[in-house]
Amino acid sequence: MGARGFILAAPSSGAGKTTVTLGLMRALARRGIDVRAAKSGPDYIDPAFHAVACGQASVNLDGWAMGPDLLRARAAAQGGAVLIVEGAMGVLDAGADGRGSVADLARVLGLPVVLVLDVAKQGQSAVLAPAGLRALCPDLDQAGVIANPAGSARHVALASARLREAGFPVLGALPRDAGLALPERHLGLVQASETAGLSAFLDHAADQVETHLDLEVLLGAAVPLAPARSDPPRPDLPPPAQVVAVARDRAFGFFYPHLLDDWRAAGAEVLPFSPLADEPPDPRAQAIHLPGGYPELHADTLVGARRFRAGMQRAAAAGAAIYGECGGYMVLGEALEDATGVAHPMLGLLPLRTSFARRRLTLGYRRLTPCPGAPFAGALMAHEFHYATIVEEGRADRLFEARDGAGAPLPAMGLRRGKVCGSFAHVIARG
């Protein structure tokens, strides 16, 4: 029998989905249940917390960028006994073209939705969100609701009574608890690798879940995943070379696990290295990938990482294919301005100067078409999310023609100079 699962969703961001998800994963893992994890949409941070909570890698399931069969195949490949999918944003929030919501993903995977309701400032009115979802999406299976954060016993009773009258099972209510807050920064939670006392936090969250939620009913709500109608081509995105060096540390932590899995499945050797530890890429690497992350927080360290910098220069001179995404793109440039306005010299492999002091939010899905000479074959589905801005670009070839999620044209993005290239877009899947 394949895995069973359900999706934890919410009417909006900030309802506590991640806290509930992490506590539930850790609680089930402590019971010896083989629980696996997934995250809806383009998120790098939450899956890393999932992996710590349940001891298994989490996978991104992006309903906008991935087709139905690819979504089903990636979900099924997680294996295990129970798959818990954490939703993103609100349950109906989607891309600019209306696709890719958590509700869409639930339909594709055939999974029920458990709504996490923020009841901090409401009582009986908590019923409005699930009732509205039922009216708008009568085909969506709502397995029940979790109240969070709940106040007094009377508060819980008032909200629960109206929810049950309307036909929504109440699976529990987590109390207000300052110990269930995780630190945040500009792109979301502070990364799991940087969160002090994470294991203790997860155990505390699991204790609260064990005490206040009905785990047996939750497990009983899980249903088998919808099967894929056909095997998707593997890999969805082929490796850039037979031997690939990938930067992996706190400055370069944003990489989709499914891409690395695809590369390894295709026979590529993936060699991680840490620029922050002043490690150069392996000289055997025919391609080097600098993922996104937080280089703006570690600019001084990167400037002083002489072995890393020299290794990148040697690789570029030797003709290695070098690609940087978002933060990695910034590091390939000539200078990076930190939040205080101090400019730090970067690798200088692309004519690009960026700034984190002159912030502007850029967010959205992207449809990319590689420009002539770019090292990609065919259209790509991607996502852009950053506050850094481009201060100056020099002469270089463009990397991608771009459109937004709804198909509206955008300016060409990214730069390419020889075999060195990059852009602010995070590639998710083949178009």
Side-chain angles (χ1 to χ4, degrees):
M1 180 182 294
R4 305 167 69 85
F6 56 84
I7 297 178
L8 285 170
S12 68
S13 296
K17 293 188 302 293
T18 299
T19 299
V20 174
T21 299
L22 296 177
L24 182 55
M25 288 176 179
R26 176 56 69 93
L28 295 180
R30 292 195 312 198
R31 291 187 174 193
I33 296 172
D34 188 2
V35 60
R36 304 298 173 96
K39 174 71 180 184
S40 170
D43 188 304
Y44 292 102
I45 296 174
D46 290 352
F49 282 91
H50 296 172
V52 180
C54 66
Q56 299 286 344
S58 180
V59 67
N60 293 83
L61 301 174
D62 196 305
W64 184 86
M66 300 174 179
D69 277 348
L70 183 57
L71 288 168
R72 295 182 186 117
R74 294 211 183 280
Q78 284 297 87
V82 178
L83 176 68
I84 299 176
V85 182
E86 181 188 352
M89 304 183 294
V91 64
L92 296 182
D93 294 329
D97 58 355
R99 297 189 302 113
S101 70
V102 177
D104 290 340
L105 181 63
R107 294 185 184 100
V108 169
L109 298 181
L111 296 182
V113 168
V114 175
L115 278 186
V116 178
L117 301 180
D118 182 353
V119 298
K121 296 181 180 180
Q122 58 183 337
Q124 294 98 321
S125 295
V127 75
L128 294 176
L133 181 61
R134 182 170 60 190
L136 291 170
C137 305
D139 62 324
L140 204 62
D141 180 9
Q142 293 191 62
V145 302
I146 295 170
N148 175 65
S152 65
R154 182 173 181 274
H155 178 203
V156 173
L158 288 172
S160 298
R162 182 57 62 90
L163 285 161
R164 292 190 178 103
E165 286 172 7
F168 300 106
V170 179
L171 308 179
L174 288 180
R176 295 191 184 101
D177 183 348
L180 292 180
L182 284 166
E184 301 185 25
R185 60 164 63 117
H186 54 282
L187 295 180
L189 296 176
V190 172
Q191 294 181 96
S193 61
E194 301 176 69
T195 301
L198 179 56
S199 183
F201 169 87
L202 292 171
D203 282 332
H204 177 60
D207 290 341
Q208 293 287 60
V209 163
E210 289 268 12
T211 302
H212 298 285
L213 302 188
D214 193 330
L215 297 191
E216 299 306 324
V217 174
L218 268 169
L219 287 173
V223 304
L225 293 163
R229 295 188 179 91
S230 61
D231 292 330
R234 301 278 295 187
D236 185 56
L237 285 169
Q242 189 64 32
V243 182
V244 188
V246 179
R248 301 300 303 272
D249 57 27
R250 293 179 179 181
F252 301 94
F254 294 173
F255 202 103
Y256 293 121
H258 69 262
L259 293 184
L260 288 182
D261 291 342
D262 279 356
W263 291 359
R264 293 188 179 103
E269 185 179 4
V270 177
L271 306 172
F273 70 101
S274 170
L276 291 183
D278 200 11
E279 295 174 356
D282 192 296
R284 296 183 295 123
Q286 302 146 335
I288 300 168
H289 188 96
L290 299 184
Y294 293 103
E296 65 272 14
L297 303 182
H298 304 279
D300 275 337
T301 302
L302 293 171
V303 169
R306 296 181 180 179
R307 294 176 64 240
F308 159 66
R309 298 171 71 91
M312 292 295 296
Q313 298 291 341
R314 284 194 300 270
I322 300 175
Y323 174 63
E325 279 192 345
C326 202
Y329 180 46
M330 295 163 68
V331 173
L332 290 177
E334 294 170 352
L336 187 165
E337 197 174 87
D338 66 20
T340 67
V342 175
H344 302 266
M346 293 289 106
L347 295 174
L349 297 177
L350 290 174
L352 172 73
R353 301 176 72 87
T354 56
S355 173
F356 189 63
R358 308 177 218 186
R359 300 189 198 189
R360 184 181 67 248
L361 173 62
T362 303
L363 173 66
Y365 282 114
R366 304 289 181 255
R367 301 172 186 266
L368 306 177
T369 301
C371 295
F376 297 93
L380 301 169
M381 309 296 268
H383 188 262
E384 195 173 1
F385 180 22
H386 57 89
Y387 286 90
T389 57
I390 294 174
V391 176
E392 182 181 347
E393 290 179 321
R395 293 177 60 85
D397 295 322
R398 283 296 180 187
L399 186 61
F400 297 123
E401 296 294 333
R403 292 180 177 272
D404 68 14
L410 297 171
M413 64 187 304
L415 297 174
R416 180 178 66 86
R417 176 177 281 175
K419 298 186 73 173
V420 180
C421 61
S423 83
F424 270 115
H426 296 279
V427 174
I428 302 170
R430 199 197 311 265

